[in-house]
């Protein structure tokens, strides 16, 4: 099929072009606007006569709305309307257009689920009225289950089984068999979910904060019962998403419903508390890991079983074992995920769904095995790198795990690590080092982009691709400038408008490589036109700084070849390269911690990450993605934890004062190394995804460093001082 990516592209096209901007650590073109507060985010648009909406959450955990007493609040100052249409009660979608289950008008599935929208002239009036709104319920909370349990869990997918793991565990010379737990996490992006809806006849324009516009217009259209051609979404700047904006949320639908009824624009902005309470969480997990190794450390048994949760009727189950499927050897395997249905806010994709928590646990268990065997943890990993995917024999695309382990270890100074705990003490502090592998699946998504070379040679790149803080504006411009030989300041990038050709959207780390491949292909088409006019083969065409030439054809301004704009749409779709290869990014983390011998406080001292992500498209934005991921890993290791009240399922720590993400003071010197790599199987850019890799295993490296420092092996994340304190060695008598 046209555009399908079936054959690996090994031409190294972007190594042969001359402009020299690809991969360079160029600034984001929108960076100045952002730091100067001039980039307009969804809630900041000024629309004439815009009314303000505030969502009202259910005060029961489960049940039905039986009456909404509108009259009293309608009489309050400035109040314009109270809306409770079916669509507004819909749970946040997960980026699955048309597949969100139809939901009962008045059904409440979790605490504080939005059940009404109050609209007023001002935000304050709407807030006051929302607080005063009386709602009657048929409260069925007594029947609800609030705590996940293994007993009620059902298989979420077909387990992966090979050989006989129980038998292999009894045969193995060295075994690890432990239960680990990770808590729920919240994305809680810096920009809260926000929407402004405005109708022009039957056409809706919505300024919002989303990751995947081509799906989001369908979701919104489905919710409103209109055609998606009637919906336009604008998301020019998105202040983070991390999965929470893959799908639409209550703000978008309720703003659209109210604006249609009122005949004027309506803005709905979630409070920080609402972002926590009603936007999806990462499921807590319970994970059993079984490792059985022979005398040389080769795995003969590998078990990874996980128990996760979601609301009834929600199919998403945190894919905890995703990387375990292909990362390490072990002929006897059992990998499984089971799902409990519980009454807590919807669980969904949060940065690196699966690997984020799966790798942190797998890599903790690998460290336990290495320590037990008294071998270097890096060596244990290296001797378990399979040649083909265990079980199904699939080939790997490019895989730079060994290189990442080696280069990371060297840069970090891993050779200075003490082999056993409690061997390094500085004053009150135990010092330790730990490492972990990183792995994350790589995905190519269908994408389109339009590139225009204008008559003056300048370039315009257009797609509905979003930039969620990841660098899309910079990267897509660099690809076009490189391919078409123009300076970056002659390259303009327009994104985040659903009326433009549909990019891949931002999710699953695929944005830059997928939409970038569409830009690449549009540029190839333009190069084809230019080569025809210059009378050379496209691959022989050289373009640089506005000049065009080829072997035997003297340089001339590219504008000589132009009699108007050349506009081409580039298209890419996943094909045989996606089916026939196991594609992933790999890396390694190295961490040095100090654990206070008296208080159990852990402080990060240094962290190094080495990553193989295929071609690096922009060294600065790629590095920032890795740093961000590593910071998430530190949060996951030490501080982040959603706390639910087991009596009624409500989220207790629903703000950034109580849900602890790391702050600048928590983050030490960080180093990111990119391993040289080209992966032509992954994309014609030979690039892979990078956004999520930096979190996948990072918390395991922290856990392993803590063990190396003080000998405490915690299997319950996050590793807060209270948990460490219980097992710390006597600070006065332990060997130093
Ligand atoms: Mo991601 S969690 O697919 O935005």
């Amino acid at each position: 099929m046209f555009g399908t990516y079936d054959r690996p592209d090994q031409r190294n096209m972007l190594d042969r072009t001359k402009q020299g901007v690809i991969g360079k650590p160029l600034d984001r073109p929108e960076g100045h606007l952002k730091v100067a507060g001039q980039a307009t985010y969804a809630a900041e648009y000024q629309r004439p006569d815009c009314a303000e909406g505030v969502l009202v959450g259910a005060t029961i955990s489960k049940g039905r709305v039986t009456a909404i007493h509108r009259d009293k609040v309608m009489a309050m100052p400035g109040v314009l309307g109270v809306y409770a249409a079916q669509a507004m009660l819909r749970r946040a979608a997960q980026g699955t257009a048309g597949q969100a289950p139809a939901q009962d008008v008045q059904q409440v599935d979790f605490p504080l689920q939005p059940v009404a929208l109050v609209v007023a002239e001002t935000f304050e009036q709407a807030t006051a009225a929302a607080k005063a709104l009386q709602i009657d319920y048929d409260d069925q909370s007594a029947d609800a289950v609030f705590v996940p349990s293994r007993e009620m869990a059902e298989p979420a997918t077909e387990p992966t089984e090979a050989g006989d793991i129980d038998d292999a565990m009894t045969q193995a010379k060295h075994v690890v068999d432990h239960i680990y737990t990770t808590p729920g996490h919240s994305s809680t992006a810096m920009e809260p979910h926000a929407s402004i809806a405005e109708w022009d006849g039957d056409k809706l324009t919505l300024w919002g904060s989303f990751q995947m516009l081509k799906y989001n217009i369908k979701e919104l259209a489905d919710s409103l019962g209109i055609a998606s051609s009637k919906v336009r979404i604008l998301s020019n700047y998105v202040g983070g998403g991390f999965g929470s904006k893959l799908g639409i949320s209550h703000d978008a639908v309720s703003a659209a419903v109210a604006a249609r009824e009122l005949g004027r624009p309506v803005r709905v902005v979630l409070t920080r508390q609402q972002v926590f309470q009603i936007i999806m969480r990462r499921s807590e997990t319970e994970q059993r890991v079984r490792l059985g190794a022979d005398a040389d450390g080769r795995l003969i048994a590998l078990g990874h079983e996980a128990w996760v949760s979601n609301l009834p009727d929600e199919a998403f189950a945190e894919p905890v074992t995703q990387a375990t499927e292909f990362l390490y050897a072990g002929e006897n395997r059992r990998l499984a995920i089971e799902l409990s249905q519980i009454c807590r806010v919807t669980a969904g994709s949060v940065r690196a769904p699966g690997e984020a928590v799966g790798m942190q646990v797998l890599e903790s268990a690998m460290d336990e095995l290495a320590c037990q065997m008294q071998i270097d943890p890096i060596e244990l990993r290296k001797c378990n790198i399979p040649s083909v995917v265990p079980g199904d024999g699939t080939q790997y695309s490019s895989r730079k795990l060994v290189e990442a382990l080696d280069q990371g270890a060297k840069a970090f100074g891993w050779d200075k690590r003490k082999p056993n705990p409690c061997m390094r003490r500085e004053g009150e502090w135990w010092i330790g080092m730990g490492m972990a592998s990183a792995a994350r699946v790589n995905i190519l998504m269908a994408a389109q982009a339009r590139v225009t070379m204008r008559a003056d040679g300048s370039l315009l790149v257009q797609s509905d691709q979003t930039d969620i803080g990841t660098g899309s504006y910079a990267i897509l411009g660099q690809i076009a400038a490189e391919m078409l030989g123009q300076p970056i300041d002659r390259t303009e990038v327009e994104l985040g408008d659903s009326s433009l050709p549909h990019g891949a959207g931002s999710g699953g780390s695929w944005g830059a490589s997928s939409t970038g491949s569409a830009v690449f292909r549009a540029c190839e088409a333009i190069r084809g036109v230019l080569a025809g006019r210059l009378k050379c083969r496209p691959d022989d065409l050289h373009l640089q700084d506005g000049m065009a030439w080829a072997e035997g054809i003297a340089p001339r301004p590219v504008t000589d070849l132009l009699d108007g704009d050349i506009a081409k749409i580039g298209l890419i779709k996943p094909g045989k390269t996606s089916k026939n290869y196991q594609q992933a990014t790999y890396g390694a983390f190295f961490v040095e911690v100090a654990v206070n011998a008296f208080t159990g406080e852990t402080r990060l001292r240094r962290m190094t990450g080495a990553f193989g992500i295929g071609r690096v498209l922009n060294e600065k934005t790629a590095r920032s993605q890795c740093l961000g991921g590593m910071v998430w890993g530190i949060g996951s290791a030490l501080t982040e934890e959603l706390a639910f009240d087991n009596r009624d399922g409500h989220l207790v720590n629903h703000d950034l004062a109580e849900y602890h993400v790391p702050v600048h003071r928590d983050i030490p010197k960080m180093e990111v190394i990119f391993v040289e790599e080209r992966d032509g199987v992954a994309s014609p850019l030979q690039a892979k995804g990078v956004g999520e890799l930096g979190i996948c295993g990072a918390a395991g490296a922290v856990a392993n460093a803590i063990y190396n420092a003080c000998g405490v092996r915690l299997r319950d994340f996050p590793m807060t001082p209270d948990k460490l304190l219980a097992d710390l060695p006597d600070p006065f008598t332990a060997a130093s």
Side-chain angles (χ1 to χ4, degrees):
M1 196 186 288
F2 182 65
T4 304
Y5 195 53
D6 287 325
R7 273 196 311 275
D9 187 336
Q10 311 290 15
R11 291 177 299 158
N12 286 319
M13 190 72 185
L14 290 168
D15 290 315
R16 294 192 283 124
T17 48
K18 308 253 183 240
Q19 192 61 32
V21 292
I22 199 68
K24 292 281 156 21
L26 300 188
D27 290 346
R28 298 153 193 266
E30 82 288 10
H32 285 276
L33 291 179
K34 284 181 175 170
V35 295
Q38 290 168 345
T40 307
Y41 287 81
E44 300 174 321
Y45 281 89
Q46 300 299 321
R47 302 306 303 169
D49 207 26
C50 188
E52 307 290 339
V54 169
L55 285 164
V56 182
T59 54
I60 58 167
S61 302
K62 183 178 163 66
R64 295 176 69 78
V65 173
T66 53
I68 296 180
H69 300 285
R70 287 180 172 80
D71 294 354
K72 195 175 130 214
V73 300
M74 285 303 291
M76 290 176 70
V79 174
L80 299 166
V82 177
Y83 304 94
Q86 168 168 11
M88 290 170 41
L89 306 182
R90 183 170 257 186
R91 299 164 189 161
Q94 304 209 14
T96 52
Q99 290 168 33
Q103 285 160 30
D104 190 314
V105 179
Q106 291 162 317
Q107 184 66 36
V108 174
D109 293 322
F110 62 87
L112 294 166
Q113 176 174 332
V115 290
L117 181 80
V118 178
V119 180
E121 294 291 348
T122 69
F123 175 73
E124 290 74 12
Q125 290 167 338
T127 302
K131 282 196 175 134
L133 183 66
Q134 281 185 11
I135 299 176
D136 297 339
Y137 300 95
D138 167 16
D139 186 353
Q140 298 155 10
S141 304
D143 303 332
V145 177
F146 299 109
V147 185
S149 71
R150 275 199 198 195
E151 290 65 43
M152 58 183 283
E154 305 265 2
T157 52
E158 194 68 30
T160 299
E161 314 233 25
D164 184 338
I165 186 169
D166 297 318
D167 183 57
M169 286 293 284
T170 65
Q171 306 291 326
K173 182 100 197 305
H174 304 279
V175 296
V176 165
D177 181 358
H178 292 297
I179 302 284
Y180 301 79
T181 53
T182 66
H185 293 145
S186 176
S187 290
T188 197
M190 193 163 14
E191 181 200 16
H193 296 59
S195 292
I196 298 174
E198 185 173 316
W199 292 82
D200 177 8
D202 63 351
K203 288 203 171 73
L204 170 65
T205 302
L206 190 121
W207 289 264
S209 187
F210 302 100
Q211 296 177 218
M212 305 270 293
L213 300 194
K214 74 173 160 187
Y215 296 120
N216 303 138
I217 51 172
K218 289 188 190 154
E219 290 153 3
L220 194 48
D222 286 353
S223 301
L224 299 167
I226 61 175
S228 57
S229 58
K230 303 282 187 196
V231 178
R232 182 180 180 199
I233 295 182
L234 293 161
S235 287
N236 297 116
Y237 302 110
V238 179
F242 312 114
S244 75
K245 297 169 183 171
L246 285 169
I248 59 168
S249 180
H250 316 79
D251 54 301
V253 188
S254 64
V257 167
R260 183 163 61 182
E261 294 289 319
L262 273 175
R264 55 190 277 198
V266 172
R267 169 175 21 226
V268 178
V269 183
L270 300 194
T271 61
R272 177 59 58 189
Q273 287 84 353
Q274 285 174 325
V275 170
F276 275 92
Q277 289 157 348
I278 68 179
I279 302 300
M280 59 194 55
R281 63 187 167 99
R282 187 200 302 282
S283 174
E284 71 296 322
T285 74
E286 183 178 333
Q287 302 180 43
R288 181 187 185 194
V289 179
R290 284 182 284 175
L291 302 175
D294 67 15
D296 300 325
R298 271 189 292 272
L299 290 172
I300 58 169
L302 174 58
H304 194 174
E305 291 148 292
W307 291 266
V308 301
S309 72
N310 208 337
L311 278 169
D313 304 327
E314 289 286 345
F316 179 87
E318 179 82 20
V320 176
T321 57
Q322 195 155 255
T324 316
E325 296 279 355
F326 59 83
L327 183 59
Y328 295 130
E331 55 272 31
N332 299 285
R333 305 167 85 83
R334 178 172 159 78
L335 278 54
I337 299 166
E338 297 197 0
L339 183 64
S340 299
Q341 300 187 338
I342 60 166
C343 183
R344 286 181 187 172
V345 62
T346 321
S349 291
V350 174
R351 198 173 190 177
E355 286 93 329
V357 285
M359 284 291 293
Q360 95 184 46
V361 163
L362 178 66
E363 290 300 292
S364 298
M366 287 292 278
D367 197 69
E368 297 207 39
L369 180 61
C371 292
Q372 190 191 117
M373 294 184 64
Q374 288 287 300
I375 62 171
D376 187 310
I378 296 177
E379 293 311 313
L380 177 66
R381 280 146 179 102
K382 281 189 185 170
C383 80
N384 283 294
I385 298 176
S387 55
V388 292
V389 176
D392 70 4
T394 306
Q395 299 279 326
Y396 294 91
S397 73
S398 173
R399 177 178 47 167
K400 298 289 181 190
L401 178 54
V402 171
E403 292 81 350
L405 289 164
D406 287 343
Q407 292 176 29
K410 183 154 182 274
F412 180 79
W414 181 250
D415 56 344
K416 310 230 167 35
R417 170 182 176 265
K418 307 283 186 210
N420 290 307
C422 299
M423 291 177 70
R424 191 170 158 202
R425 177 86 176 253
E426 292 179 12
E428 293 185 2
W429 301 87
W430 297 113
I431 313 298
M433 295 182 183
M435 60 76 55
S437 298
R440 168 73 180 162
V441 291
N442 182 67
I443 302 164
L444 180 70
M445 290 286 274
Q448 292 185 37
R450 178 165 51 229
V451 177
T452 305
M453 179 174 257
R454 302 190 188 101
D456 66 357
S458 67
L459 303 174
L460 175 63
V461 178
Q462 294 171 301
S463 167
D464 79 346
Q465 174 66 29
T466 47
D467 183 328
I468 61 172
T470 40
S472 310
Y473 283 103
I475 294 160
L476 299 180
Q478 279 169 277
I479 294 167
E482 186 66 45
M483 287 291 284
L484 298 174
Q486 289 289 341
I488 197 73
D489 58 8
R490 299 258 295 159
T491 308
E492 203 184 321
V493 181
E494 220 179 281
L495 302 176
D497 177 343
S498 67
S499 66
L500 297 174
H502 293 317
S506 301
S509 300
W510 58 62
S513 59
S514 301
T515 305
S517 293
V519 170
F520 177 90
R521 285 193 156 169
C523 293
E524 282 198 311
I526 294 174
R527 286 175 61 92
V529 174
L530 296 173
R533 293 178 185 174
L534 196 67
K535 303 206 173 4
C536 69
R537 295 189 329 156
D539 277 13
D540 297 337
L541 173 68
H542 294 298
L543 295 167
Q544 185 184 5
D545 290 327
M547 300 299 286
W549 73 96
E551 185 72 31
I553 303 176
R556 55 198 284 199
V558 73
T559 47
D560 286 1
L561 303 174
L562 301 169
D563 50 12
D565 293 357
I566 306 175
K568 294 286 179 190
I569 289 188
L571 172 64
I572 191 132
K573 287 181 195 161
K576 288 187 188 139
T577 54
S578 295
K579 282 197 202 81
N580 297 347
Y581 293 86
Q582 172 62 51
Q583 297 183 23
T585 47
Y586 298 86
F589 302 102
F590 298 86
V591 167
E592 182 177 297
V593 297
V595 178
N596 190 290
F598 295 88
T599 67
E601 177 193 354
T602 299
R603 289 190 189 168
L604 265 282
R605 303 226 303 190
R606 301 188 290 130
M607 187 166 187
T608 296
F611 306 104
I613 58 170
R615 183 190 302 280
V616 176
L617 298 171
N618 177 318
E619 204 267 337
K620 183 181 288 183
T621 58
R623 181 170 184 277
S624 293
Q625 288 299 298
C626 294
L627 291 175
M630 287 153 72
V631 171
W632 274 59
I634 293 167
S636 186
L638 297 178
T639 56
E640 291 187 45
E641 171 169 28
L642 289 177
F644 291 92
D645 189 323
N646 285 342
R647 296 166 303 176
D648 64 3
H650 92 273
L651 178 62
V652 179
N653 55 346
H654 56 202
D655 58 42
L656 290 165
E658 297 294 330
Y659 180 85
H660 294 152
V661 299
V663 298
H664 277 96
R665 283 293 294 269
D666 298 317
I667 300 304
K669 208 172 139 164
M670 308 276 269
E671 179 183 28
V672 171
I673 295 163
F674 290 117
V675 176
E676 191 68 20
E677 183 179 22
R678 302 283 182 268
D679 193 336
V681 169
S683 67
L685 302 170
Q686 303 177 314
K688 293 186 272 200
V690 55
E692 294 164 315
L693 180 63
I695 185 175
C696 301
V702 178
N704 301 341
I706 289 175
Y707 175 78
N708 182 250
C710 64
V712 180
R713 183 70 77 177
L714 290 181
R715 302 187 184 99
D716 176 33
F717 290 91
M719 298 174 288
T720 45
D722 54 311
K723 295 178 194 168
L724 272 162
L725 208 46
D727 291 330
L728 275 179
D730 183 325
F732 297 107
T733 58
S736 176

